[in-house]
Amino acid sequence: MTTTHPMQRAPIPGWARASVLALALAATVATAAAQSPASIDARVDALLRRMTLEEKVGEMTQLTIQAVSRTEGTPTVEHQLDSAKLEEALVRNNVGSLLNVWDVAFTPQHWREVITTVQRFAARKRLHSPVIYGIDAVHGHHYMVGATVFPQNLAMAATWNPELVRRENEITAYETRASGITWNFSPVLDLGRQPLWSRFFETFGEDPYLATVLGVAAVEGEQHDPRPDLATLLQSGSPRVVQHASRRGAPAHDDPPVGGTVFVAATGKHFLGYSMPLSGKDRTTAWIPERQLREYFVPTFKGAIGAGLRTVMINSGDINGIPVHSSHEILTGLLRHELGFTGVTVSDWEDINKLYTVHHVAASRKDAVRMAVMAGVDMSMVPFDFSFTHDLIELVHEGAVPESRIDEAVRRILKLKFELGLFDNPGPDPAMLANVGAPVFQAVSRQAAEEAVTLLKNDRALLPLSKRARVLVTGPGATSLPALHGSWTHTWQGTNEAMYPTGVKSVLDAIRAEIGAGQVTYVPGTTEHDAIDIAAAADAARRVDAAIVVLAEMPSTEKPGDIDDLTLPDAQLRLAAAVEATGTPTVLVLVENRPRIVRTVVDSARAVLMAYETGPFGGEAVARILFGDVNPSGKLPFTYPRYTGAIEHYDRAPSADVTADKPEGGYDPQWPFGYGLSYTTFAYSDLTLNARDVGRNDTLTISVTVANTGARAGKEVVQLYVRDLYASVEPPMKRLRGFEKIELAPGARRTVTFRLPIQQLAFIGRDDRPVVEPGDFDVMIGGLTQRFTVR
């Protein structure tokens, strides 16, 4: 796909791109990797001893780029830095970190100019400490024009493909580092268990195991040097992600121009419990008992910390009335002492001051600073002024904050800068910028979109449609690129259509390209909330072979995304119902950033596709699946609710389940977790365990045979669930304990083997501590069950 953008400068010729790829991506970090942790620690200690209090506190201060800029960026006007403001912030106030854009994505060339200028001013500091620059590159480096944009995390989770997630984050890390940015505020490790929450789409779904596996893949993809793997990808010319390439290999002849022992610092966010607000509104109170907090919300962070996560961003809200920024128990006791996190903790936007202005647990702005720093916050995203800096200096002079606590925080920040190689080369690499948006990078995004789209209904095998069919396309998602991309795309909310490049196909564009414009009738039908011409859409449906109704939620995140009702807007439901009432076979395509209630139009639809927010190739992925070029393989990473007041998760307790003696209630979702159809069929057989009686420190080997019994090749996610029959705490009906995505040709079969450490069956007991209890357990895969006993 070739795209152009209103702010993009002259493109780099293909021959130049190819030659630079061969040179730049073949590099490894041999020199940087030679820096041992001991040598970095020694450099940190030596520098810290030379620093004044003012220099130390400056390192703990993070400002938005707006605070050091003269002109806001727009689709037609380039952003400008302000030299006087840079001098004041970086040189006179020793600010150690900047973040963000103002207010639109920058071109690669402008990022190079911005980072180079910022680091030039930082070099004027007495000790020449570089700036660590942060960005929310949450589905690709979407704040850089021309960079590779990927599906949102929820859609990536629907692929159930950790290697795709790893590759996505390798590409994101490469393109982020190419622009000179070394700190990515990603991945979101919150669980998606409150679908009202506006940032649901940023999660990897509702399950701790799935989210942990994908979160670890994201962290490793960001922080390990991706250049050897990407060089292999580019040299092969193949976009297909099957197995993660080895990072071992001979060093390149020339040292790389940028890099360190950490390539880009990943950020686990938002520690802890941010995604479970009781009301569903962003940044509001979460009520999470200690046992549930540890059972569901800690594992993703624990896994990422085990993978070497270097930074953590703090939950903007409160848990059980205690703002997390003020909780020494959570930020020091749990995060540091129990989970062993050694990296940098950073607040979210203005959150320390909000302890005073919003939460009212601090009596003044300065008291809020004291409270947060003593709780365990290392860096404050202030983000506009020097209030944090001045207040903290005063607090140290007053004895309210010991300088030893300042030294602790600054040591972590300086160590991260050394690990990133910023003291050796803080600027961008122009050679790397030449590779931004490489065709094989784009191909990975396309593959991710195709593997994410989930077929939820296909009554009487309506899909795939014939390419000779005459179709109606209607609904607000048919033409909306922002709906396909979601928030954090070119702008914060992702709604500025002027920033979207040309050449990206909407669902309507992609269907026209797939079968020919002459076979496609388009009627808008509705906007997101209002009817336009529903009657015209219904009339057009009577004259075609099939109708494709693309329902959508427009992008929104954080407070602007707060809603009061999960039900899709009434105008869209009336459009779908009117089209279905014509009797024309109808396909619903759901372009959503969270599951919206569509119960009233599902039964009359012949087919339903969940398209999520699948990015620049989402429209093409939908079209290719509708007309059979791609066999869908996505699986829901969350339980899709049937009613707005019936939010249950697959790992529900027995008391929440539908049983023979309680048919009137319980778990009755629209579609369950892990669900997704294919154009072929798979049969499971021969579920075997290597033992029926195991100890608590043993590992159980489980195998099952999967056969493709249909007429076309397809991908299947083999999902391993375990059920604890009896426990001291009411056990869930089942829990995901393993999965593997496989591809089978027609008639082919494969034996899939899992190794399950029995310790993985631990749950948080009545004493709020993990425990594996003896007893009977069921292994469940593909409708098959086998029982084993833990001694």
Side-chain angles (χ1 to χ4, degrees):
M1 178 184 68
T2 302
T3 62
T4 57
H5 190 281
M7 287 183 65
Q8 181 71 65
R9 296 173 183 173
I12 297 163
W15 63 267
R17 180 192 295 271
S19 62
V20 173
L21 288 172
L23 293 172
L25 289 182
T28 64
V29 288
T31 301
Q35 299 181 71
S36 68
S39 66
I40 289 178
D41 287 342
R43 294 177 73 182
V44 169
D45 289 341
L47 182 58
L48 190 60
R49 284 193 295 269
R50 298 174 59 199
M51 296 178 77
T52 65
L53 174 62
E54 289 73 17
E55 288 168 331
K56 294 175 185 177
V57 171
E59 289 289 340
M60 299 172 66
T61 302
Q62 184 178 66
L63 300 182
T64 179
I65 192 173
Q66 185 174 345
V68 292
S69 297
R70 178 183 302 116
T71 304
E72 174 185 6
T74 74
T76 56
V77 176
E78 190 166 76
H79 152 271
Q80 289 184 334
L81 290 169
D82 188 306
S83 296
K85 293 178 180 177
L86 281 168
E87 178 77 19
E88 181 185 17
L90 304 186
V91 182
R92 292 203 291 274
N93 283 279
N94 304 289
V95 168
S97 182
L98 297 175
L99 81 152
N100 214 9
V101 292
W102 190 34
D103 235 357
V104 299
F106 297 164
T107 64
Q109 296 85 352
H110 188 59
W111 269 122
R112 178 184 176 187
E113 293 163 5
V114 165
I115 300 300
T116 300
T117 301
V118 164
Q119 299 296 8
R120 185 171 69 246
F121 273 88
R124 298 179 187 175
K125 297 179 183 180
R126 185 178 70 91
L127 298 177
H128 316 299
S129 177
V131 162
I132 180 170
Y133 203 105
I135 202 76
D136 288 279
V138 298
H139 64 123
H141 190 8
H142 44 78
Y143 280 141
M144 181 162 68
V145 172
T148 309
V149 176
F150 290 91
Q152 297 280 358
N153 274 356
L154 193 66
M156 293 302 298
T159 72
W160 290 61
N161 189 334
E163 298 311 326
L164 262 179
V165 173
R166 186 189 310 274
R167 182 54 50 85
E168 170 205 1
N169 283 274
E170 287 179 334
I171 293 168
T172 300
Y174 177 83
E175 295 187 344
T176 303
R177 187 84 202 216
S179 67
I181 297 173
T182 56
W183 190 2
N184 187 5
F185 301 139
S186 181
V188 168
L189 298 176
D190 303 303
L191 281 193
R193 297 179 77 88
Q194 168 49 290
L196 276 171
W197 186 51
S198 64
R199 306 186 73 171
F200 189 89
F201 69 94
E202 296 185 52
T203 76
F204 288 122
E206 75 179 42
D207 180 68
Y209 181 80
L210 177 63
T212 297
V213 170
L214 300 183
V216 166
V219 169
E220 292 177 346
E222 289 282 344
Q223 295 193 163
H224 295 166
D225 187 355
R227 286 172 289 190
D229 281 356
L230 296 185
T232 301
L233 175 71
L234 287 150
Q235 289 164 5
S236 70
S238 171
R240 186 170 179 78
V241 179
V242 178
Q243 186 175 2
H244 182 53
S246 171
R247 292 189 178 86
R248 298 189 181 94
H253 295 297
D254 297 318
D255 293 333
V258 299
T261 58
V262 174
F263 193 72
V264 169
T267 307
K269 63 186 193 184
H270 307 79
F271 194 81
L272 184 66
Y274 176 43
S275 61
M276 198 65 179
L278 183 66
S279 68
K281 304 297 194 296
D282 187 54
R283 288 171 163 81
T284 57
T285 296
W287 287 4
I288 310 175
E290 181 76 9
R291 199 188 74 78
Q292 281 78 4
L293 191 71
R294 291 174 175 271
E295 182 77 44
Y296 293 102
F297 296 93
V298 168
T300 52
F301 289 93
K302 182 178 181 180
I305 290 166
L309 180 69
R310 298 312 302 135
T311 75
V312 161
M313 186 177 289
I314 310 306
N315 172 7
S316 294
D318 66 86
I319 300 176
N320 307 327
I322 301 175
V324 179
H325 285 82
S326 70
S327 175
H328 186 273
E329 179 183 10
I330 292 176
L331 298 186
T332 299
L334 177 57
L335 180 61
R336 299 289 183 185
H337 298 162
E338 288 192 42
L339 300 182
F341 179 65
T342 60
V344 175
T345 55
V346 61
S347 79
D348 206 338
W349 192 269
E350 206 177 358
D351 280 349
I352 290 180
N353 192 42
K354 288 176 182 176
L355 294 176
Y356 167 53
T357 61
V358 174
H359 298 287
H360 298 277
V361 295
S364 65
R365 187 188 69 190
K366 189 161 75 172
D367 190 43
V369 171
R370 177 197 61 79
M371 191 177 289
V373 171
M374 294 308 295
V377 178
D378 295 326
M379 183 181 289
S380 172
M381 191 184 292
V382 186
F384 292 107
D385 56 36
F386 308 106
S387 57
F388 170 84
T389 314
H390 300 156
D391 286 344
L392 187 52
I393 290 170
E394 288 184 14
L395 287 164
V396 174
H397 287 316
E398 293 166 1
V401 174
E403 192 162 357
S404 60
R405 169 67 190 109
I406 304 300
D407 289 348
E408 180 182 59
V410 176
R411 182 175 282 107
R412 293 168 183 154
I413 294 166
L414 294 177
K415 182 175 182 179
L416 180 61
K417 290 183 177 183
F418 277 112
E419 288 174 332
L420 291 165
L422 286 174
F423 279 92
D424 300 315
N425 185 350
D429 182 348
M432 290 174 65
L433 278 178
N435 306 317
V436 167
V440 289
F441 294 175
Q442 301 286 342
V444 176
S445 179
R446 179 189 293 275
Q447 181 186 346
E450 291 178 349
E451 289 200 23
V453 174
T454 305
L455 180 60
L456 298 175
K457 182 178 182 180
N458 195 19
D459 188 25
R460 288 168 282 163
L462 175 67
L463 299 181
L465 297 169
S466 167
K467 292 189 179 182
R468 295 187 297 275
R470 294 169 299 118
V471 301
L472 165 70
V473 178
T474 185
T479 57
S480 174
L481 291 181
L484 278 174
H485 287 71
S487 297
W488 307 105
T489 306
H490 310 308
T491 59
W492 173 38
Q493 293 295 311
T495 53
N496 190 332
E497 296 199 45
M499 287 302 300
Y500 282 80
T502 60
V504 177
K505 292 184 175 69
S506 67
V507 172
L508 175 62
D509 294 333
I511 291 173
R512 284 171 169 165
E514 184 75 13
I515 64 173
Q519 293 172 233
V520 181
T521 300
Y522 168 65
V523 179
T526 71
T527 65
E528 181 181 13
H529 294 282
D530 300 314
I532 300 175
D533 47 10
I534 292 177
D539 185 58
R542 295 183 179 94
R543 298 191 297 272
V544 296
D545 301 312
I548 300 165
V549 183
V550 190
L551 307 177
E553 178 175 17
M554 295 302 120
S556 61
T557 190
E558 301 189 57
K559 292 303 293 184
D562 284 350
I563 57 175
D564 296 315
D565 188 348
L566 269 180
T567 305
L568 201 68
D570 181 66
Q572 295 191 53
L573 296 178
R574 287 193 287 116
L575 171 66
V579 171
E580 291 168 355
T582 66
T584 298
T586 301
V587 182
L588 302 182
V589 177
L590 308 179
V591 181
E592 299 177 329
N593 62 14
R594 50 193 154 191
R596 302 300 295 266
I597 304 303
V598 291
R599 177 188 70 259
T600 58
V601 296
V602 168
D603 288 347
S604 296
R606 285 277 301 277
V608 182
L609 275 182
M610 180 68 177
Y612 310 94
E613 293 171 322
T614 32
F617 297 100
E620 295 178 63
V622 166
R624 284 166 59 79
I625 287 172
L626 285 173
F627 294 96
D629 292 338
V630 172
N631 189 354
S633 63
K635 305 287 185 184
L636 286 177
F638 57 86
T639 301
Y640 199 115
R642 187 182 299 271
Y643 303 96
T644 194
I647 307 303
E648 288 282 358
H649 306 106
Y650 89 93
D651 50 359
R652 64 213 179 271
S655 59
D657 201 36
V658 176
T659 62
D661 61 352
K662 189 188 173 186
E664 73 281 3
Y667 184 69
D668 183 29
Q670 193 74 63
W671 296 285
F673 172 85
Y675 182 76
L677 302 172
S678 172
Y679 293 155
T680 190
T681 53
F682 298 95
Y684 287 75
S685 62
D686 302 323
L687 176 59
T688 61
L689 314 180
N690 72 323
R692 297 301 183 112
D693 190 81
V694 294
R696 277 175 272 190
N697 294 316
D698 292 342
T699 296
L700 185 67
T701 300
I702 303 162
S703 62
V704 69
T705 299
V706 185
N708 183 343
T709 54
R712 64 179 292 173
K715 298 174 183 177
E716 171 71 342
V717 179
V718 183
Q719 302 170 42
L720 165 65
Y721 294 92
V722 176
R723 176 171 57 211
D724 189 349
L725 271 65
Y726 299 96
S728 58
V729 172
E730 189 172 8
M733 293 299 297
K734 61 180 181 178
R735 286 286 294 271
L736 182 71
R737 299 299 186 184
F739 65 91
E740 183 174 347
K741 192 165 193 175
I742 62 173
E743 184 171 7
L744 293 174
R749 63 181 55 238
R750 177 176 165 185
T751 297
V752 178
T753 301
F754 297 96
R755 290 177 56 80
L756 177 67
I758 299 304
Q759 283 297 314
Q760 191 177 319
L761 303 178
F763 63 91
I764 303 301
R766 295 190 180 197
D767 60 355
D768 295 333
R769 301 173 66 86
V771 60
V772 178
E773 293 181 346
D776 293 335
F777 294 79
D778 283 343
V779 171
M780 298 173 287
I781 305 179
L784 305 175
T785 302
Q786 293 284 358
R787 185 161 294 176
F788 67 95
T789 300
V790 175
R791 298 188 299 274

